[in-house]
Each structure stands twice: as structure tokens, then as C-alpha cells.
């Protein structure tokens, strides 16, 4: 067949070469028929049995997660368990069977269609990702109902254990992803998704090339087609010529050798050639992530996303973690880091990370009741977490990071809650760090534009670039139709970053970046040249970022940084950035 190229959204780095393995979803176009009154309860039981079976399957997958599996996978599978347990999925279709006499498949699809239509009316990336979750859970139930469960991962004409596989799908659920763990898969290609889809997050954690948001790749690519993923460029080459295949194999070999060398840098300090030390920190989701982060060479944890503790659940009953459970989790991470700092972000739940419990049932847009807004609306929940964090601070260096603050009263109320937690612990005779540092996550433009009220009252700032870019540019990050407008080099973003680092320097407080920009090697020189001295990222990205820093002279970048910050022309900014990247020898990278 003739070779052709597809363009999508690059969400990880590297090159993958292999055969296409098409992951066919259960068709949502199912049989529609009415059942008689005498058959209604039997049909209800058939759907209930399918839901129970899927629940057991998800539990089994969660229980069988290997030690080295990305922690994000377990959290995402937990979300699918919660969705499956939600009355909108577990009960509403049963009512449809009883009232309309629909067969089980028809009732489930009708409910999913109605939910999907509601999501389509909301232009928000977090909610869009939840729509994909709901559809993936429904497809899993449909596979059981139609007798096709267990066949999704099989293919004809390919030896899965001997050939490198590139998974091609409309979308890939976390549970399906785990079923590939014993197979030699080397990349992912999906029609849907964006920078924050499950496929994107897991592929970055695994260090596997992936391109998402490709539209109709799963219809254009045939089973067993040879594919090349250039995930730096966001390109998939279908049926490449022998010459192109050999060129990419050579580039792949160079990249693999270079990455192997990076493993020797674990204990090397990240110091530029002109003697400026940059602190490289790790982002973690669960306490067991701390030890691997330390092993990867992290100088500490720059972002412990505590909400994943609240989302962990392997059963139907999902309860909020107690103070003691949170304390043990935080203490585990703190002790694992052996004295290195651990920054714990307080509960950042909202539309992207719902707490689906009886008492705390929230599913709001990114502009709704989430993060610190939610915590201040639930003071007892917030106080319990603060007590747990403070108690853990007795076992090592701990910082408290408050997300999504934009108002002065949010700062004051948060600090007051921390003082209340300290007072309670003192009264109870429990140890904690009385001078624990408290900082704000700067991820709302309003916060970046009102920094004086932050630096006067807080000890440090941490920039969440993902949300800062989304809110500043009004871009739905998960919508591939507008994903090309998501631009971390937009002049407005660069101006905001410069304002934040300047405010921190003047106030004498540290400023870190813990969003996606911190782990993007294209931007390392720009960020450090602007003045950022702390970068926090997934642990897998630490070695190549460290290598970039070791090959950098900051004093040689200043003129170029000033030129970028003065420019409002996209082409000029990118051209200058390219010049910065060529000033000193760097590790071979792909473009």
C-alpha cells in the first residue's frame, strides 16, 4: 500500500516502530428490541450480572498491578470503579428496562447517549475526559453483555509476544492498557484525547511514544500495517518506505544509546556550566512513588498530588481517608525521601478528579467548586488533611501547597485553618514542624496579576502551567479541534511567568514550576534563563532535563531571553528559542 502521514497531538517523546494492533471497541450500535413484561426482571438481572462481572474484572486488574506500573494507572482504574458504581450507570439503565421494556444493551446505550449529550454541551477539558471514562466503562459492560469480553486485545496475523506492537484505537481505557503489560507494545495512537488524556499521562509515565487526537487514524490504519511514531513531531507514518524505515531506525538507535547514558547522571548535581545549581524535583501521586523518585535522582518532591489518596478505592464502598490513613501515607513519602523536601498539595478535587461519595458528590466544571474553594466549603475535611500533613512534618522536611487561590480571603482563611490545626495538635501533645512552609499554586491569571498579596503572606510559590495556560488562553486542552491553540510559548504566558519569577525574587521567596512546562526539554533553557531555579516533573523526565542543564551556560542566554520576552511574534519567539538550544552542545534529541 502507498505510504501516508497522519498528524496529531504529541504527548510524549521518542520514536516507535512496529506493527499496528487495532483495538476495536464494543460497538455502541447494539441490537434494539423490546422485552415482554415477564422477561423484564430477567433482563434487569442480566445487566446487573454484567456490571458485577466488570466490577470484578476492574478489581482484579487493580490487584494485579505490578510494582513498577505507573501509579496513574491505579488511580484511573479507581475512577472507572467509581463510575461503574454511580447510580447513573448502575441503576438508571435498570429503570429504563423496567419502564420502557428495552433490552439490556439498548437501555445501557440509551443512558450513555443521554449522559454524553450532557457532556457535549459543556466546553471543559476535565469534563470531556470524564465523558471518555463513562463511554469506556459502558463499552466494557457491553462486551460482557454481547459475549465479546476478553477479545479486545487479540488480533489475527500477529504474534503479540515477538513483534513490536503499536496500539491504534479510538481511545484506550486504563484497564485495557494494563492488559498490554506482558506484550511488547512500543507506542500508542488514538483518535481522541489531548495532553491530559489517560493515554497521554500513562505514556509519559512509561516513557512510551504516543500521538493522540488524530481524528480517524483507527479507520485509516489497517491491522498489521507498519507504523512509525515520531512523538516529538506528533507524526505517524503509515506503511513507510524501506528508506524511511531505516532512517528512523538509525535515529531510534541514537536516541536509545543517549538515554542509556543518562542513567549515569542520577547522583550528579544539576549545575549549569557557569555554576548555577538548579533543583530538580519529582511530581508524585501516591506515597509509594517517593522511593522511585529518589532513585531517579530527584532532590525532593515538588508536587505530591494528595487527591489520589482520596480517589483510591477497590470496592463499591468509597469512603474518604481518615486522618490516620492520610498521616501514614504522607509519613511514608516523607521518610522515603530521607530528609529531602516533600511538597504536599492539599486536596485538588473538582471536575477532573471527582470524589464520588454519598456526602461529597461533586462533578463541576474547571471554573466551579474545586481545589481550595471546595476545601474551604468543607472545613472539617480540610482540617483533617491539614492535621495529617502537619503530623507527617515531624518526620522530615514538608511544605504545604494550596491550589487555585485567587483571592486574599482564601489566603487568610487557609492560613487560619493551618493555625487551627496546629493549635489542636499542640493541645493533644502531637509533634509537628511549627515553622512549616506554606505556599500557593499560581495557576489562575488573577493570581499572577496580584502577586503582592501572595508574597507578603506566603513562603513560596509554585506555578501550575497546565491550568495557567488553559485559563489564560481559554483553551480546552482535551479538545483536539482547538488543541493547536494551546501554546506554552504564547507571549501572554511568558509575560505571566516573568511576572511571577520577578515577584518571587523581589520578595526573596522561592518560585518553582510543577506543571508540564517544567518537564519539556525544549523549554529548560528558557525557564532557567528567566530565573526559575526549581523544576518539578514526572521522575522519568529528570535525567534528560538534568543533561540539558549540565550543557547550559545561563550567562550566554540572557540576551536571547530578553529578546523572547520583548517579542509578541510567534515566529521570532520560536526562532530565538532554537538559537538558544544550539549555543552549547546538547544530548541528541529528535525534532
Amino acid at each position: 500500500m502507498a505510504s501516508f502521514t497522519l498528524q496529531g497531538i504529541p504527548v510524549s517523546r521518542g520514536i516507535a516502530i512496529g506493527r499496528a494492533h487495532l483495538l476495536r471497541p464494543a460497538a455502541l450500535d447494539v441490537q434494539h428490541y423490546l422485552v415482554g413484561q415477564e422477561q423484564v426482571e430477567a433482563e434487569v438481572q442480566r445487566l446487573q450480572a454484567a456490571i458485577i462481572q466488570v466490577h470484578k474484572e476492574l478489581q482484579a486488574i487493580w490487584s494485579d498491578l505490578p510494582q513498577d506500573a505507573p501509579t496513574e494507572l491505579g488511580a484511573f482504574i479507581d475512577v472507572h470503579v467509581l463510575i461503574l458504581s454511580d447510580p447513573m450507570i448502575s441503576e438508571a439503565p435498570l429503570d429504563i428496562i423496567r419502564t420502557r421494556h428495552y433490552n439490556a444493551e439498548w437501555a445501557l446505550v440509551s443512558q450513555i447517549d443521554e449522559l454524553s449529550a450532557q457532556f457535549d454541551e459543556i466546553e471543559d477539558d476535565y469534563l470531556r475526559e470524564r465523558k471518555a471514562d463513562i463511554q469506556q466503562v459502558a463499552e466494557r459492560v457491553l462486551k460482557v453483555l454481547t459475549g465479546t469480553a476478553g477479545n479486545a486485545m487479540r488480533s489475527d496475523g500477529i504474534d503479540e509476544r515477538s513483534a513490536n506492537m503499536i496500539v491504534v484505537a479510538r481511545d484506550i481505557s486504563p484497564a485495557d492498557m494494563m492488559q498490554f503489560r506482558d506484550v511488547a507494545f512500543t507506542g500508542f495512537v488514538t483518535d481522541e484525547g489531548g495532553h491530559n488524556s489517560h493515554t497521554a499521562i500513562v505514556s509519559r509515565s512509561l516513557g512510551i511514544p504516543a500521538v493522540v487526537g488524530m481524528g480517524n487514524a483507527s479507520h485509516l490504519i489497517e491491522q498489521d500495517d507498519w507504523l512509525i511514531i515520531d512523538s516529538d513531531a506528533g507524526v505517524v507514518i503509515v506503511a513507510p518506505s524501506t528508506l524511511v524505515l531505516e532512517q528512523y531506525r538509525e535515529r531510534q538507535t541514537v536516541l536509545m544509546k543517549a538515554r542509556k547514558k543518562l542513567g549515569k547522571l542520577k547522583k550528579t548535581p544539576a549545575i549549569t556550566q557557569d555554576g548555577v545549581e538548579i533543583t530538580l524535583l519529582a511530581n508524585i501521586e501516591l506515597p509509594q512513588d517517593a522511593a522511585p523518585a529518589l532513585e531517579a535522582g530527584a532532590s525532593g518532591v515538588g508536587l505530591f498530588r494528595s487527591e489520589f489518596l482520596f480517589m483510591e478505592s477497590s470496592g463499591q464502598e468509597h469512603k474518604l481517608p481518615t486522618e490516620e490513613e492520610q498521616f501514614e501515607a504522607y509519613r511514608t513519602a516523607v521518610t522515603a525521601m530521607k530528609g529531602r523536601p516533600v511538597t504536599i498539595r492539599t486536596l485538588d478535587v473538582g471536575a477532573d478528579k471527582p470524589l464520588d461519595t454519598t456526602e461529597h458528590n461533586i462533578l463541576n466544571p474547571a471554573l466551579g467548586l474545586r481545589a481550595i474553594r471546595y476545601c474551604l466549603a468543607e472545613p472539617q475535611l480540610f482540617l483533617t488533611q491539614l492535621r495529617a500533613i502537619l503530623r507527617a512534618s515531624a518526620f522530615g522536611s514538608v511544605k504545604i501547597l494550596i491550589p487555585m487561590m485567587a483571592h486574599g480571603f482564601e489566603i487568610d482563611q487557609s492560613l487560619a485553618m493551618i493555625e487551627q490545626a496546629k493549635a489542636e495538635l499542640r493541645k493533644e501533645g502531637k509533634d509537628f514542624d511549627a515553622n512549616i512552609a506554606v505556599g500557593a499554586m499560581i495557576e489562575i491569571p488573577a493570581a499572577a496579576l496580584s502577586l503582592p498579596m501572595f508574597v507578603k503572606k506566603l513562603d513560596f510559590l509554585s506555578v501550575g502551567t497546565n491550568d495557567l495556560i488553559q485559563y489564560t488562553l481559554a483553551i480546552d486542552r482535551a479538545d483536539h479541534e482547538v488543541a493547536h491553540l494551546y501554546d506554552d510559548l504564547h507571549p501572554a504566558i511568558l509575560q505571566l511567568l516573568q511576572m511571577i519569577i520577578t515577584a518571587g525574587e523581589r520578595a526573596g521567596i522561592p518560585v518553582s514550576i510543577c506543571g508540564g512546562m517544567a518537564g519539556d526539554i525544549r523549554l529548560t533553557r528558557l525557564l532557567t534563563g528567566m530565573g526559575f531555579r526549581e523544576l518539578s516533573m514526572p521522575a522519568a523526565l529528570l535525567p534528560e532535563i538534568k543533561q540539558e542543564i549540565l550543557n547550559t551556560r545561563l550567562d550566554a542566554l540572557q540576551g536571547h531571553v530578553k529578546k523572547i520576552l520583548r517579542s509578541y511574534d510567534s515566529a521570532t519567539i520560536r526562532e530565538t528559542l532554537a538559537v538558544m538550544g544550539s549555543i552549547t552542545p546538547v544530548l541528541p534529541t529528535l525534532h
Side-chain angles (χ1 to χ4, degrees):
M1 65 178 291
S3 176
F4 60 94
T5 300
L6 301 173
Q7 183 76 42
I9 302 170
V11 292
S12 60
R13 295 178 58 78
I15 289 174
I17 300 173
R19 295 275 193 177
H21 177 94
L22 267 65
L23 181 60
R24 301 292 187 187
L28 292 182
D29 184 16
V30 297
Q31 282 189 308
H32 297 157
Y33 58 88
L34 298 174
V35 298
Q37 181 62 47
E38 70 283 0
Q39 297 175 298
V40 166
E41 283 310 309
E43 200 69 8
V44 165
Q45 291 176 15
R46 190 165 74 91
L47 180 53
Q48 286 177 324
I51 291 173
I52 291 172
Q53 181 175 329
V54 170
H55 202 282
K56 290 179 179 178
E57 290 175 0
L58 292 173
Q59 284 184 328
I61 292 170
W62 193 94
S63 299
D64 292 341
L65 286 174
Q67 290 277 342
D68 58 352
T71 53
E72 293 93 344
L73 273 174
F76 292 150
I77 292 170
D78 284 340
V79 170
H80 281 208
V81 171
L82 294 176
I83 290 172
L84 188 64
S85 305
D86 192 285
M88 297 298 287
I89 302 296
S90 62
E91 296 178 12
L94 305 181
D95 293 336
I96 292 175
I97 296 173
R98 293 188 178 106
T99 57
R100 304 182 198 172
H101 291 199
Y102 285 6
N103 64 303
E105 293 88 346
W106 188 7
L108 179 60
V109 169
S110 295
Q111 177 66 5
I112 297 304
D113 286 345
E114 183 175 335
L115 290 174
S116 297
Q118 294 174 12
F119 278 89
D120 285 338
E121 294 175 2
I122 305 173
E123 293 186 1
D124 178 271
D125 66 328
Y126 296 121
L127 286 178
R128 230 174 252 283
E129 294 299 345
R130 296 290 70 75
K131 173 186 171 182
D133 287 332
I134 291 171
Q135 291 175 333
Q136 288 167 0
V137 170
E139 286 177 356
R140 208 167 180 84
V141 176
L142 286 173
K143 288 173 185 176
V144 174
L145 288 172
T146 57
T148 59
N151 298 329
M153 312 308 291
R154 309 298 302 176
S155 64
D156 297 324
I158 185 169
D159 182 350
E160 294 153 319
R161 297 191 181 275
S162 63
N164 286 336
M165 289 171 27
I166 292 178
V167 181
V168 181
R170 178 178 60 80
D171 199 5
I172 306 172
S173 75
D176 281 342
M177 230 174 208
M178 278 315 299
Q179 295 183 46
F180 282 104
R181 66 181 181 270
D182 296 324
V183 184
F185 67 93
T186 57
F188 298 116
V189 176
T190 62
D191 297 343
E192 299 181 359
H195 288 282
N196 297 298
S197 64
H198 294 152
T199 306
I201 294 170
V202 174
S203 65
R204 283 195 291 268
S205 298
L206 290 169
I208 292 175
V211 181
V212 304
M214 302 204 73
N216 59 349
S218 65
H219 297 287
L220 298 173
I221 297 172
E222 298 292 336
Q223 186 74 30
D224 294 344
D225 277 349
W226 275 103
L227 302 179
I228 296 172
I229 297 179
D230 183 342
S231 59
D232 293 282
V235 167
V236 174
I237 303 172
V238 184
S241 66
T242 303
L243 178 60
V244 171
L245 199 58
E246 287 306 314
Q247 288 175 338
Y248 269 94
R249 278 181 173 151
E250 289 177 8
R251 292 172 63 185
Q252 188 181 45
T253 300
V254 170
L255 182 62
M256 290 174 68
K257 287 181 179 179
R259 286 183 174 173
K260 190 174 182 180
K261 291 180 182 178
L262 293 177
K264 301 176 182 179
L265 298 176
K266 289 179 183 178
K267 297 182 180 180
T268 304
I271 301 176
T272 66
Q273 291 184 2
D274 49 337
V276 179
E277 184 167 6
I278 308 298
T279 302
L280 297 183
L281 307 164
N283 297 341
I284 68 172
E285 279 73 40
L286 295 170
Q288 54 264 39
D289 297 348
L294 186 63
E295 175 63 22
S299 297
V301 171
L303 176 63
F304 184 161
R305 297 182 175 99
S306 66
E307 56 273 7
F308 283 89
L309 296 174
F310 290 73
M311 295 165 66
E312 274 202 296
S313 170
S314 58
Q316 293 272 4
E317 291 294 325
H318 179 71
K319 296 182 179 179
L320 298 177
T322 63
E323 177 183 325
E324 204 62 31
E325 289 170 336
Q326 290 186 63
F327 162 63
E328 289 295 340
Y330 303 143
R331 183 175 67 173
T332 297
V334 171
T335 55
M337 292 308 294
K338 300 179 180 179
R340 294 167 179 81
V342 176
T343 301
I344 302 174
R345 182 175 67 186
T346 58
L347 188 59
D348 186 13
V349 293
D352 59 332
K353 299 178 283 282
L355 292 186
D356 194 0
T357 69
T358 303
E359 295 183 13
H360 302 279
N361 185 12
I362 58 171
L363 189 61
N364 297 314
L367 301 180
L369 186 67
R370 57 178 296 237
I372 189 56
R373 302 170 183 177
Y374 179 68
C375 287
L376 292 177
E378 296 284 350
Q380 192 54 54
L381 179 149
F382 191 32
L383 188 62
T384 297
Q385 181 177 34
L386 292 174
R387 285 172 53 96
I389 295 173
L390 284 167
R391 289 173 59 193
S393 71
F395 295 84
S397 176
V398 176
K399 300 178 181 179
I400 298 175
L401 179 62
I402 313 289
M404 207 179 179
M405 288 203 289
H407 301 275
F409 71 83
E410 291 171 336
I411 301 173
D412 294 338
Q413 288 181 16
S414 297
L415 293 175
M417 291 286 284
I418 293 171
E419 289 304 314
Q420 180 181 341
K422 287 180 179 179
E424 291 181 3
L425 293 177
R426 284 193 193 96
K427 189 174 181 180
E428 296 167 16
K430 293 180 178 177
D431 294 334
F432 62 91
D433 178 6
N435 298 313
I436 191 169
V438 181
M441 195 123 171
I442 305 300
E443 50 192 336
I444 299 176
L449 294 169
S450 54
L451 290 166
M453 71 180 180
F454 285 82
V455 298
K456 287 179 182 178
K457 300 177 180 180
L458 298 168
D459 302 306
F460 68 97
L461 303 176
S462 185
V463 186
T465 56
N466 299 352
D467 272 336
L468 184 63
I469 295 169
Q470 172 178 246
Y471 291 138
T472 303
L473 302 183
I475 295 300
D476 183 339
R477 289 180 281 162
D479 186 347
H480 67 270
E481 292 182 348
V482 296
H484 63 286
L485 298 175
Y486 183 90
D487 183 9
D488 44 24
L489 289 174
H490 190 288
I493 302 303
L494 299 179
Q495 294 297 324
L496 289 175
L497 291 178
Q498 188 60 50
M499 290 172 61
I500 296 167
I501 189 63
T502 300
E505 289 173 348
R506 288 175 178 170
I509 66 173
V511 180
S512 66
I513 288 190
C514 60
M517 289 179 71
D520 189 338
I521 197 170
R522 299 175 307 120
L523 307 176
T524 302
R525 295 186 174 197
L526 175 60
L527 294 176
T528 53
M530 290 171 67
F532 288 97
R533 297 293 178 260
E534 291 185 9
L535 306 177
S536 190
M537 65 202 73
L541 302 177
L542 287 167
E544 66 174 352
I545 298 297
K546 181 179 289 187
Q547 176 70 75
E548 182 74 352
I549 289 168
L550 293 172
N551 285 332
T552 296
R553 286 194 64 90
L554 294 181
D555 55 8
L557 301 179
Q558 294 312 302
H560 300 287
V561 171
K562 290 178 180 177
K563 182 177 180 181
I564 286 175
L565 293 175
R566 286 196 302 263
S567 178
Y568 287 85
D569 177 67
S570 177
T572 300
I573 291 173
R574 281 168 170 75
E575 288 169 4
T576 309
L577 191 67
V579 172
M580 289 173 63
S582 64
I583 290 176
T584 55
V586 295
L587 190 71
T589 55
L590 301 174
H591 298 286

